[in-house]
Amino acid sequence: MATAISANKAELLAIADSVAKEKLIDKAIVIEAMEDAIQRAAKNRYGVENDIRAKLDPVSGDLRLWRVVEVVEQVDDYFKQVDLKGAQKLQKGAKVGDFIVDPLPPIEFGRIQAQASKQIIFQKVRDAERERQYDEFKDRVNEIITGVVKRVEFGHVVVDLGRAEGVIRRDQQIPREVVRVGDRVRSVVLNVRRENRGPQIFLSRAHPEFMKKLFAQEVPEIYDGIIEIKAAARDPGSRAKIGVISHDGSIDPVGACVGMKGSRVQAVVQEMQGEKIDIIPWSPDTATFVVNALQPANVSRVVIDEEEDRIEVVVPDDQLSLAIGRRGQNVRLASQLTGKAIDILTEADASEKRQKEFVERSEMFQNELDVDETLAQLLVAEGFGALEEVAYVEIEELATIEGFDEDLAQELQNRAQEALERREEANREERRALGVEDDLTTMPYLTEAMLVTLGKAGIKTLDDLADLATDELVEKKRAEPRRRGDDTPRKEPKGGILAEYGLSDEQGNEIIMAARAHWFADEEPAQAGEEDAIADSEQ
């Protein structure tokens, strides 16, 4: 009998060792799974109402089984409690309130119990294996990893990574690239997520980070931090751009990335299935970087609109198609690289636009200030484009315009202020006609013109305004870059209701919080009333 028990001990420990090594998990986790399986089998044998514990010694293989009971004066639960007299038989000196151990004899595993125990152990081991996989890969995001294609399902490529599986979704593959089962592929770890079916490892060969990591492998200066890739943009399988900068003045960042006879960049190009790569010197100056990003096109000048977060680029007529690129690829990649919306104009387009703006502003000044065409054009030529600029500029600045004096400057300023007041009154009347409540006029930053815009969008009360999120109120419109004069239909870019007024996110948040203030003001008297009622009832 002793031999049989010894054999069972050795067999349990051997199984624990084998599973731990095969699944690359801690042996203690396997032992714990076995103990849990034995506990459940014992509960089925002696009754699930019992509090049964099992302990398997990881060194000797000894298995102990016991029931925990509480010592009480009067027994209510005969499975988990025992009276003082019965407790004294189990453990001398036991007192009421103690928890004592009632040893149980070993159990024999039948077919059903053995199968159930096997499932419990498998589940515990599977959970531990999944946790190990997650811990191993969660810190490898943005790293390049090599695996073997295991299968292709619905266009998604499943990759065997050795100790886990990763997936390259269809939208993260290089277009027209053909992979077959058994092929070795390199990809970047894009994301690792915990899910019910185990950790999901998402890989990519189309993400700009994949290209950046490939360059880090091929260019030692990038790996060492001497050269830095500040920005990257890709049209996977076709073309890409990267912006690089050197932290060592003696090293040319573009030349280092290209390598001797193009060896370094060619290694990256081959891995990316022939994708053409433009390596561009990065610059902290936005205009300079935009000019570089639009290579190989030559740029005449750059106009940056900080409020709209857009850039207007003027190019010679013969450079237009080169700047835009095939199907807009060059300007699209430049826009992604710089993070700015870019409009491409020819010299003729820019001249026409300037002329149109000049005429519109001149006519506005003529009508609003009641001045002749010459004086209005003088104001526009000096850089004035809005009534506010005339109304609130220093008198000296107006008086210094050729042909102006202080009296004329003062008169123009007075007329501009009167015109603004007329606009404000007209907006106020329109706002009231729309049914926008007067309470909204107390909100910070909101003008009558803004309230009219809100009213047209159906925002007419404090509660309407308070229900908005900050981006719904002030988010700037984002449009795809396009050439000026391109009449191809496209969707109107989305933005906040007040996007045209250039309010910041901080200002938008302040407006919404001010609109919500009355919610909390209404709660305070109610809470005070409840507290008074509670106090009265206690008395």
Side-chain angles (χ1 to χ4, degrees):
M1 186 68 180
T3 306
I5 293 173
S6 177
N8 286 337
K9 291 178 183 180
E11 186 178 352
L12 285 175
L13 293 179
I15 291 171
D17 280 331
S18 175
V19 172
K21 289 177 181 177
E22 181 183 349
K23 302 296 184 181
L24 298 171
I25 59 176
D26 191 345
K27 180 182 174 182
I29 295 174
V30 184
I31 296 290
E32 183 184 339
M34 288 180 167
E35 291 172 346
D36 190 24
I38 294 167
Q39 282 176 199
R40 295 199 186 189
K43 284 186 176 183
N44 290 334
R45 170 70 176 79
Y46 295 110
V48 294
E49 300 85 355
N50 291 286
D51 184 6
I52 296 176
R53 313 287 175 85
K55 184 65 179 176
L56 180 62
D57 191 304
V59 178
S60 65
D62 289 333
L63 175 63
R64 292 192 301 120
L65 203 62
W66 69 87
R67 180 172 69 110
V68 177
V69 291
E70 182 183 7
V71 182
V72 295
E73 291 182 355
Q74 184 176 352
V75 177
D76 294 322
D77 185 346
Y78 287 94
F79 292 103
K80 296 181 181 177
Q81 296 176 338
V82 65
D83 59 20
L84 190 59
K85 184 178 179 181
Q88 294 289 347
K89 294 178 181 178
L90 294 174
Q91 182 177 309
K92 291 182 180 181
K95 303 186 297 294
V96 173
D98 289 349
F99 287 87
I100 62 175
V101 172
D102 180 15
L104 298 174
I107 59 170
E108 292 293 331
F109 279 78
R111 183 179 61 81
I112 295 175
Q113 290 88 347
Q115 187 65 26
S117 300
K118 184 178 179 182
Q119 290 299 326
I120 293 167
I121 292 171
F122 279 176
Q123 184 60 47
K124 286 267 188 182
V125 170
R126 191 179 300 115
D127 291 343
E129 186 180 15
R130 287 173 175 174
E131 190 63 26
R132 190 264 306 159
Q133 289 174 352
Y134 178 78
D135 290 339
E136 180 178 345
F137 287 94
K138 68 178 181 179
D139 296 326
R140 299 186 67 181
V141 173
N142 290 338
E143 281 188 20
I144 281 190
I145 196 166
T146 303
V148 178
V149 176
K150 192 171 184 179
R151 59 185 182 276
V152 179
E153 297 176 342
F154 307 106
H156 306 310
V157 178
V158 178
V159 181
D160 184 355
L161 303 175
R163 299 181 181 180
E165 285 184 357
V167 61
I168 308 176
R169 294 180 300 184
R170 187 182 304 173
D171 61 337
Q172 294 300 326
Q173 298 170 26
I174 297 175
R176 297 177 296 280
E177 181 181 26
V178 178
V179 292
R180 297 179 178 83
V181 174
D183 288 352
R184 293 183 66 82
V185 294
R186 283 200 288 179
S187 54
V188 68
V189 180
L190 204 59
N191 191 16
V192 181
R193 291 205 305 255
R194 273 197 178 100
E195 293 190 6
N196 291 333
R197 63 180 185 273
Q200 297 299 298
I201 303 168
F202 296 99
L203 310 174
S204 176
R205 285 176 59 79
H207 198 276
E209 194 64 32
F210 180 57
M211 175 176 63
K212 290 167 70 174
K213 294 301 178 182
L214 287 174
F215 268 106
Q217 289 184 349
E218 297 295 335
V219 183
E221 291 87 350
I222 294 177
Y223 183 83
D224 294 336
I226 299 171
I227 293 174
E228 181 182 357
I229 299 177
K230 298 286 286 186
R234 287 183 67 187
D235 190 351
S238 177
R239 193 172 177 185
K241 291 177 182 282
I242 61 168
V244 294
I245 186 173
S246 174
H247 298 296
D248 184 338
S250 64
I251 296 178
D252 171 27
V254 175
C257 291
V258 172
M260 186 70 70
K261 296 183 179 179
S263 58
R264 291 175 174 177
V265 71
Q266 280 305 314
V268 177
V269 168
Q270 288 173 11
E271 180 62 39
M272 291 164 53
Q273 301 297 303
E275 195 169 309
K276 295 177 181 177
I277 304 173
D278 296 335
I279 303 173
I280 297 157
W282 184 85
S283 171
D285 177 63
T286 303
T288 303
F289 188 37
V290 168
V291 171
N292 294 340
L294 284 169
Q295 291 178 3
N298 296 321
V299 175
S300 300
R301 61 182 179 278
V302 175
V303 180
I304 300 174
D305 187 337
E306 296 289 354
E307 288 187 1
E308 294 293 329
D309 204 26
R310 299 184 69 85
I311 297 176
E312 196 174 89
V313 177
V314 180
V315 299
D317 292 355
D318 61 347
Q319 294 289 302
L320 179 62
S321 59
L322 198 58
I324 295 173
R326 185 181 180 188
R327 297 179 181 175
Q329 185 185 66
N330 193 52
V331 67
R332 184 171 63 251
L333 288 176
S335 179
Q336 293 173 15
L337 198 67
T338 58
K340 306 281 186 182
I342 299 176
D343 281 339
I344 305 291
L345 286 78
T346 63
E347 294 283 5
D349 290 333
S351 177
E352 182 183 342
K353 183 190 174 190
R354 287 197 305 273
Q355 185 62 31
K356 183 179 179 182
E357 289 177 349
F358 187 87
V359 171
E360 288 176 351
R361 290 173 180 176
S362 297
E363 289 177 351
M364 183 270 295
F365 282 135
Q366 281 182 259
N367 296 330
E368 297 287 357
L369 300 180
D370 191 22
V371 296
D372 60 27
E373 183 180 1
T374 304
L375 199 150
Q377 289 179 352
L378 265 175
L379 286 172
V380 178
E382 289 294 325
F384 292 93
L387 284 174
E388 289 82 1
E389 296 172 4
V390 177
Y392 303 115
V393 74
E394 294 292 335
I395 289 289
E396 292 77 11
E397 189 171 337
L398 276 173
T400 56
I401 298 175
E402 187 177 350
F404 283 29
D405 56 27
E406 285 195 10
D407 290 339
L408 178 56
Q410 186 64 61
E411 178 63 23
L412 287 174
Q413 197 161 70
N414 291 340
R415 291 187 185 186
Q417 291 171 359
E418 289 171 2
L420 289 173
E421 288 173 6
R422 289 195 301 272
R423 279 188 185 178
E424 191 77 354
E425 183 59 35
N427 286 326
R428 186 178 296 110
E429 291 178 5
E430 186 177 359
R431 185 259 301 172
R432 287 173 176 166
L434 287 168
V436 179
E437 294 181 353
D438 290 342
D439 289 343
L440 269 69
T441 62
T442 63
M443 296 297 100
Y445 308 113
L446 294 185
T447 63
E448 291 289 350
M450 293 179 189
L451 293 175
V452 169
T453 304
L454 287 173
K456 290 178 179 178
I459 310 301
K460 301 181 180 182
T461 67
L462 281 178
D463 286 333
D464 292 339
L465 183 58
D467 284 335
L468 294 176
T470 302
D471 57 349
E472 292 177 305
L473 185 66
V474 300
E475 185 180 43
K476 293 180 180 179
K477 292 183 178 182
R478 303 287 181 182
E480 286 294 320
R482 66 185 296 176
R483 173 181 174 267
R484 186 77 64 179
D486 182 359
D487 296 326
T488 304
R490 63 174 180 175
K491 294 181 180 179
E492 180 67 21
K494 293 182 179 180
I497 297 170
L498 300 180
E500 62 185 290
Y501 297 99
L503 293 171
S504 66
D505 288 345
E506 291 75 14
Q507 290 172 325
N509 189 53
E510 191 175 337
I511 293 168
I512 291 172
M513 293 309 295
R516 293 175 181 173
H518 73 286
W519 290 350
F520 307 106
D522 292 342
E523 288 177 4
E524 288 174 5
Q527 290 174 353
E530 290 173 4
E531 290 170 1
D532 292 341
I534 293 169
D536 291 342
S537 65
E538 289 176 349
Q539 291 175 358

